[in-house]
Amino acid sequence: MSSPALMAGASGKVTDFNNGTYLVSFTLFWEGQVSLSLLLIHPSEGASALWRARNQGYNKIIFKGKFVNGTSHVFTECGLTLNSSAELCEYLDNRDQEAFYCVKPQHMPCEALTHMTTRNREISYLTDKEKSLFHRSKVGVEMMKDQKHIDVANCNKSEKIEEKCQVGMKPPVPGGYTLQGKWITTFCNQVQLDTIKINGCLKGKLIYLLGDSTLRQWIYYLPKVVKTLKFFDLHETGIFKKHLLLDAERHTQIQWKKHNYPFVTFQLYSLIDHDYIPREIDRLSGDKNTAIVITFGQHFRPFPIDVFIRRAIGVRKAIERLFLRSPTTKVIIKTENIREMHIDTERLGDFHGYIQYLIMKDIFKDLNVGIIDAWDMTIAYDTNTIHPPDHVIGNQINMFLNYIC
């Protein structure tokens, strides 16, 4: 639902009656000329094919590990599973049942693995007939063509939400809407923070951003708003290195680290100081001035769903352990966002992301965490890009600061 002139938008709520019929409901959050758009992303045959193809195998991505010994290096094939008769290096986390393997290079120990890169394997688990369902013209088809706009009048009924946004609240769907480009929550009183308030809020804070590049956007955005935050050079290389922002005078530290396998990118990334999110959480003592933001999902889309579920459960258990030793630590879960509609649907499509979004909500629903519903937000902003623009990132961060300030 949108009013372009007002820079306003919101997602609708879909109720599935499990008999081939659906109810799509919209809440009229603002007055003015409102347009509705209803897209059929995939027919049910497409959804069934994607679900089967996703869970059929691990081979859609090739991992290449770089082993280094002095001045010589060698690349070998790696993966979450490996169908190989060669001798393997096993990288196991027995507690959380996480495993990763590489073909062992000759004359080098398994500990010599330093970097990783990935590329797509030319493989598909879809039949030719199924592939035809994902041609560009058949994805995201407008269901209500030539729909006239609706004129929404003011009903003089304003319900003021008094309760401040805080961790533990469960956002409904939709949990907010955009108006004049700003995200407005529907379930709590959210304050739009200016630079002075943000500076005051961040004083003495330790903030850990754990996840993928959609969270790395936060650490690039923050210094544009808070000029006293400066990057500290940790002598690492590449865009997936650990990023550190410091404001020594205010004792503020903000750190971003990528999550562990599966991490999918053509770029060569370092595996030194690289671990699973549950292990990262276990290293933090936590206190009332510590905040952790977690997001993962985009890199899990090409793999069977059990990989994602296992990781989400591992993260949940780590948060429970953290709350035992430090109940005042703030933990925020940022869901993944929608992305380009006409990309490699079998590997990366939003159908896979939506399943993960529902799983995340289910696994973390009764924990005392804050939720930033980036899925809901990016539908309302109609971004359709894996890395949303700055104004969307700014509103995500504003929601985060409301939770921790």
Side-chain angles (χ1 to χ4, degrees):
M1 177 174 74
S2 65
S3 299
L6 297 172
M7 290 195 296
S11 64
K13 183 179 181 181
V14 182
T15 306
D16 183 354
F17 294 117
N18 295 312
N19 63 0
T21 66
Y22 304 84
L23 173 68
V24 184
S25 44
F26 293 94
T27 306
L28 302 174
F29 290 116
W30 63 88
E31 58 184 288
Q33 281 195 359
V34 170
S35 302
L36 300 182
S37 171
L38 191 63
L39 303 182
L40 177 67
I41 307 298
H42 304 300
S44 59
E45 297 86 350
S48 299
L50 288 174
W51 180 244
R52 193 204 75 247
R54 171 173 188 165
N55 293 301
Q56 206 162 323
Y58 294 80
N59 294 328
K60 298 185 195 84
I61 304 293
I62 299 170
F63 289 85
K64 287 286 184 187
K66 181 182 180 183
F67 290 78
V68 176
N69 186 352
T71 54
S72 63
H73 71 266
V74 63
F75 283 88
T76 74
E77 186 167 349
C78 304
L80 297 165
T81 64
L82 274 187
N83 190 5
S84 171
S85 58
E87 186 182 353
L88 298 181
C89 290
E90 297 182 337
Y91 304 98
L92 307 177
D93 184 326
N94 291 318
R95 184 195 68 191
D96 295 330
Q97 301 292 298
E98 299 286 6
F100 196 77
Y101 305 91
C102 290
V103 173
K104 187 179 185 302
Q106 287 186 323
H107 316 304
M108 281 197 200
C110 292
E111 293 76 14
L113 177 64
T114 64
H115 289 77
M116 191 67 61
T117 181
T118 70
R119 55 190 169 86
N120 293 342
R121 194 189 299 273
E122 292 303 316
I123 189 174
S124 173
Y125 296 114
L126 297 172
T127 66
D128 287 342
K129 264 193 175 162
E130 287 169 339
K131 283 178 189 168
S132 72
L133 293 168
F134 306 108
H135 289 163
R136 199 175 181 121
S137 61
K138 295 177 186 169
V139 176
V141 177
E142 183 66 64
M143 302 285 286
M144 305 193 306
K145 286 198 173 88
D146 308 320
Q147 183 79 9
K148 288 191 168 56
H149 64 254
I150 301 162
D151 288 307
V152 180
N154 186 348
C155 67
N156 293 323
K157 184 186 168 198
S158 65
E159 293 178 9
K160 191 104 175 93
I161 302 168
E162 296 299 336
E163 195 173 6
K164 174 190 176 299
C165 299
Q166 52 197 318
V167 294
M169 289 181 162
K170 298 296 163 263
V173 175
Y177 59 97
T178 71
L179 185 63
Q180 301 300 344
K182 291 269 189 292
W183 177 254
I184 299 165
T185 53
T186 58
F187 62 96
C188 61
N189 184 13
Q190 182 188 1
V191 180
Q192 293 294 334
L193 300 168
D194 57 24
T195 305
I196 294 165
K197 282 181 183 161
I198 294 172
N199 276 333
C201 169
L202 291 179
K203 189 174 181 180
K205 293 281 194 297
L206 298 177
I207 297 170
Y208 298 90
L209 309 176
L210 304 173
D212 57 33
S213 56
T214 65
L215 204 48
R216 190 188 64 214
Q217 286 183 273
W218 285 28
I219 211 160
Y220 291 158
Y221 180 89
L222 279 162
K224 297 176 187 175
V225 182
V226 184
K227 304 294 186 190
T228 54
L229 283 170
K230 305 293 181 194
F231 280 106
F232 188 84
D233 184 1
L234 294 166
H235 297 243
E236 295 181 21
T237 55
I239 58 171
F240 296 114
K241 65 187 177 185
K242 182 160 77 176
H243 289 59
L244 185 63
L245 282 175
L246 293 176
D247 179 344
E249 203 171 298
R250 288 191 179 85
H251 299 282
T252 302
Q253 175 187 302
I254 304 171
Q255 175 188 297
W256 174 84
K257 278 184 87 169
K258 66 185 178 300
H259 64 67
N260 209 336
Y261 315 117
F263 199 86
V264 178
T265 173
F266 291 115
Q267 306 254 3
L268 195 67
Y269 58 88
S270 171
L271 301 178
I272 309 301
D273 192 21
H274 172 86
D275 215 338
Y276 295 105
I277 290 176
R279 293 289 178 183
E280 298 285 358
I281 295 170
D282 286 341
R283 290 192 189 104
L284 303 176
S285 54
D287 62 18
K288 65 180 173 38
N289 285 317
T290 299
I292 304 168
V293 188
I294 299 161
T295 196
F296 57 98
Q298 297 280 358
H299 294 256
F300 288 76
R301 293 185 182 192
F303 302 98
I305 197 69
D306 62 297
V307 178
F308 179 81
I309 294 171
R310 187 167 58 243
R311 186 67 48 84
I313 290 171
V315 170
R316 184 200 157 96
K317 287 177 177 173
I319 293 169
E320 289 172 340
R321 290 191 293 271
L322 170 67
F323 285 160
L324 283 175
R325 63 183 181 270
S326 174
T328 56
T329 303
K330 298 281 201 320
V331 178
I332 317 297
I333 307 291
K334 182 184 86 66
T335 71
E336 64 191 284
N337 47 258
I338 61 170
R339 63 177 300 166
E340 298 80 5
M341 209 177 288
H342 302 292
I343 49 150
D344 185 342
T345 308
E346 183 180 353
R347 279 188 184 84
L348 302 170
D350 276 340
F351 170 76
H352 301 315
Y354 185 60
I355 301 282
Q356 293 176 175
Y357 167 71
L358 296 177
I359 289 169
M360 282 289 264
K361 289 176 80 163
D362 206 36
I363 287 175
F364 294 98
K365 69 183 174 194
D366 57 350
L367 276 185
N368 189 34
V369 298
I371 303 290
I372 295 175
D373 195 333
W375 191 271
D376 191 22
M377 288 175 87
T378 49
I379 291 173
Y381 279 109
D382 195 28
T383 54
N384 291 309
T385 173
I386 185 169
H387 295 121
D390 266 5
H391 64 276
V392 179
I393 299 302
N395 279 280
Q396 289 177 2
I397 291 171
N398 189 74
M399 186 82 206
F400 162 68
L401 294 172
N402 268 261
Y403 279 136
I404 71 164
C405 295

Coordinates of all heavy atoms in Angstrom, one line a residue, residues 9 37 44 60 70 101 229 261 268 295 341 356:
G9 N 4.2 4.2 2.7 CA 4.0 2.8 2.3 C 3.9 1.9 3.5 O 4.3 2.2 4.6
S37 N -1.2 -2.4 -4.3 CA -0.5 -3.3 -5.3 C -0.4 -4.7 -4.7 O 0.1 -4.9 -3.6 CB 0.9 -2.7 -5.6 OG 1.6 -3.6 -6.5
S44 N 1.8 -21.6 -6.8 CA 2.1 -22.7 -5.8 C 3.0 -23.7 -6.4 O 3.9 -24.3 -5.7 CB 0.8 -23.3 -5.3 OG 0.1 -23.9 -6.4
K60 N 25.1 -26.1 -4.8 CA 24.8 -24.9 -5.6 C 26.0 -24.0 -5.6 O 26.2 -23.1 -6.4 CB 23.5 -24.2 -5.2 CG 22.3 -25.1 -5.4 CD 21.0 -24.3 -5.1 CE 19.8 -25.2 -4.9 NZ 19.7 -25.7 -3.6
G70 N 54.3 -20.5 4.4 CA 55.4 -19.6 4.0 C 55.0 -18.8 2.8 O 54.0 -18.1 2.8
Y101 N 34.2 -28.8 5.8 CA 35.3 -29.7 5.4 C 36.0 -29.1 4.2 O 35.5 -28.3 3.4 CB 34.7 -31.0 4.9 CG 33.8 -31.7 5.9 CD1 32.4 -31.4 6.0 CD2 34.4 -32.6 6.8 CE1 31.6 -32.0 6.9 CE2 33.6 -33.2 7.8 CZ 32.2 -32.9 7.8 OH 31.4 -33.5 8.8
L229 N 32.7 9.4 15.7 CA 33.0 7.9 15.5 C 34.0 7.8 14.4 O 33.8 8.2 13.3 CB 31.8 7.1 15.2 CG 30.9 6.8 16.4 CD1 29.6 6.2 15.9 CD2 31.6 5.8 17.4
Y261 N 30.6 -19.8 8.2 CA 30.0 -20.6 7.1 C 28.5 -20.8 7.3 O 28.1 -21.1 8.4 CB 30.7 -21.9 6.9 CG 32.2 -21.9 7.0 CD1 32.9 -22.6 8.0 CD2 33.0 -21.3 6.0 CE1 34.3 -22.6 8.1 CE2 34.4 -21.3 6.1 CZ 35.0 -21.9 7.1 OH 36.4 -22.0 7.2
L268 N 37.8 -12.8 -1.8 CA 38.6 -13.7 -0.9 C 38.5 -13.1 0.5 O 38.7 -11.9 0.7 CB 40.0 -13.7 -1.4 CG 40.9 -14.8 -0.8 CD1 40.5 -16.2 -1.3 CD2 42.4 -14.5 -1.2
T295 N 22.1 -10.6 12.7 CA 21.3 -10.9 11.5 C 22.0 -11.9 10.6 O 23.3 -12.0 10.5 CB 21.1 -9.6 10.6 OG1 20.0 -9.9 9.7 CG2 22.3 -9.2 9.8
M341 N 14.0 -8.9 -7.2 CA 13.0 -9.9 -7.6 C 13.4 -10.8 -8.7 O 13.0 -12.0 -8.8 CB 11.7 -9.2 -7.9 CG 10.5 -10.0 -7.6 SD 9.0 -9.1 -8.0 CE 9.0 -7.9 -6.7
Q356 N 12.7 -18.4 6.0 CA 13.7 -18.1 7.1 C 13.2 -17.1 8.0 O 13.4 -17.1 9.2 CB 15.1 -17.8 6.5 CG 15.7 -18.9 5.7 CD 17.0 -18.6 5.0 OE1 17.6 -19.5 4.5 NE2 17.4 -17.3 5.0

